Every structure is written in C-alpha cells, then in structure tokens.
Amino acid sequence: MSNAFELLRHVTTATITTMLLKKGIRHCWIKGAMPLVPGGQRLVGKAFTLRFVPVREDLATPESWGKPISTRAAIEAMPEGCIAVADAMGVTTAGIFGDILVMRMARRKVTALVTDGVIRDKAGCLKADMPIYCQGTAAPASVNGLTFVGWNEPIACGGVAIFPDDVIVVDDDGAVVIPQALVDFVATEGCEHERYETWVVSEVERGVALPGLYPPNDEAKARYAAWKKQQGL
C-alpha cells in the first residue's frame, strides 16, 4: 500500500476520477470539500470516518462534548497519517470543528480533514497548519445544527459512499475516494495516464491537432511508445 500511496502523490484527482470511471465508478468526488487554503501539496491517506445526523436538541448540547461518543473522543481514536472524513450532511450553518480540535488532530499527525460541511475559528485552524477541505466557515458550533453519532463506520459525504480505510486523495480540485480494492489499479494506471498526458501537452505545444491524439489512434500510440523509449521509460 505504501508504494501505491507514493504513486498516487503524483496522480491528480482529475485523473483519478477518470481511472475510476473506467471501472464504472462515477461517484467518487466529494462535493463541497474544497481546500480552505488553495495551493497545498497533494495528500493521500486512509479514511477515518465521522458521522453527524440532523440536530436533536436533547442530545446535541454543549454537555455532549464530554460524553464517550463525541468528536473529542473520535479525535483520540484517529491513527497517525489518516485523513479524517466527516459527513456533515452538507450543513453550512454550524462548524463541525474549531481551532482547538483541529490543533489536536494536527498534534496527532492526522494528514487532513475533509468534510461536506464547514469549520469554525478559521484563524486558529489555519495556525494549526493542517490541510482542511470543506465548504467554508460558520461561527456557530456543530450542536447548533448537527448531532455527532459515531466514527469509523460507513458514511455518505458530499454524495459519496465512504468506508473506513478507503483511500482519500486531495488536491486543489478537491477530494476523491478510491475503494480499497481499486487502489493499486488507480495508482499504476493513473501514473501511466499522467505520463501520456505529459507527452500530449508537448505535442499540442508544437501544434498537433487533438483528433487521433487524445484519445490516441494507432499512429499516436506508436509515436508515444517511441517517445517513452527515447526517455528510457
């Protein structure tokens, strides 16, 4: 898996969606989960899932933050290197995490936070220096609009089904999920796809027309094979 992760760090989320499309998977891009701060590096990690449901006023209270089932307890269960993926049901009026929680996640070496919701305490969250992918910010706490119910179970986030230990890749185009069984395929085929597109760009730059080049016909495939041989690939 570590080798696949290294390969995936060189594959864009756009390419990953295309590789998954070859396997019939169209729902893999997490809607709403965009970088809070664009321009970061591409990151890869196993999904650690968190699940919220609609607010239940008798359960979603400030007192609930100290209970065994709480966002605080979930953070303490997060393994190093994971990407926390929180199903916030697309709610944008209550921040699921604030600066202190994000700082604790960063201290536990969580790779990133991905959610279809929002965060709060933006200035403090940015100081934690942990990449966050979300819909933005809101001042109210999570209990104003959501009830936290558990972690490390299947969730729906941004219209995508995510299971614990699925692989998440994030970059400036957002966040995508790769089913465990397809990780090696996506990593290997994705790298080859990126290599071919690098060659295509060089061809376009010298004036070659796209028909027959992208996607390639037999003549383009032959020229690409010759280019790879020349490059020692």
Side-chain angles (χ1 to χ4, degrees):
M1 188 70 79
S2 59
N3 182 56
F5 277 25
E6 186 55 41
L7 291 175
L8 287 170
R9 291 186 179 96
H10 302 283
V11 182
T12 67
T13 55
T15 290
I16 290 170
T17 64
T18 301
M19 297 303 100
L20 290 173
L21 184 60
K22 290 182 177 182
K23 294 294 187 178
I25 295 179
R26 290 177 169 79
H27 293 83
C28 59
W29 182 73
I30 302 173
K31 293 186 286 293
M34 297 302 294
L36 189 63
V37 180
Q41 63 183 11
R42 186 168 301 110
L43 301 170
V44 183
K46 288 186 177 182
F48 181 95
T49 62
L50 304 106
R51 188 164 68 93
F52 291 84
V53 297
V55 65
R56 258 277 300 270
E57 288 78 2
D58 59 327
L59 299 176
T61 64
E63 291 74 23
S64 68
W65 294 333
K67 293 184 177 180
I69 297 179
S70 65
T71 51
R72 279 72 172 162
I75 288 172
E76 297 308 313
M78 293 179 183
E80 179 178 333
C82 76
I83 291 182
V85 185
D87 170 15
M89 303 177 56
V91 171
T92 58
T93 55
I96 61 165
F97 288 125
D99 53 359
I100 293 174
L101 275 67
V102 169
M103 287 178 186
R104 180 57 181 161
M105 292 169 67
R107 193 62 175 270
R108 290 187 57 79
K109 298 183 180 180
V110 172
T111 297
L113 168 64
V114 172
T115 181
D116 56 359
V118 297
I119 54 104
R120 62 199 298 242
D121 302 318
K122 180 179 178 179
C125 288
L126 293 178
K127 287 181 181 178
D129 197 28
M130 187 188 74
I132 298 172
Y133 292 74
C134 63
Q135 291 206 61
T137 61
S142 61
V143 293
N144 284 272
L146 294 162
T147 305
F148 182 70
V149 293
W151 62 88
N152 241 17
E153 57 186 310
I155 61 170
C157 185
V160 177
I162 300 172
F163 292 77
D165 292 335
D166 278 346
V167 172
I168 306 295
V169 181
V170 295
D171 61 18
D172 270 1
D173 281 352
V176 295
V177 58
I178 307 172
Q180 293 181 59
L182 296 178
V183 170
D184 288 338
F185 167 81
V186 171
T188 302
E189 294 297 314
C191 280
E192 175 59 22
H193 186 85
E194 294 284 355
R195 186 179 295 118
Y196 180 72
E197 288 197 341
T198 297
W199 178 74
V200 167
V201 168
S202 69
E203 292 289 283
V204 171
E205 286 176 340
R206 69 185 187 88
V208 177
L210 288 178
L213 178 66
Y214 193 72
N217 57 20
D218 290 341
E219 188 269 337
K221 288 177 181 178
R223 287 193 296 112
Y224 173 60
W227 174 83
K228 281 207 301 182
K229 185 175 181 180
Q230 184 182 37
Q231 299 294 316
L233 300 172

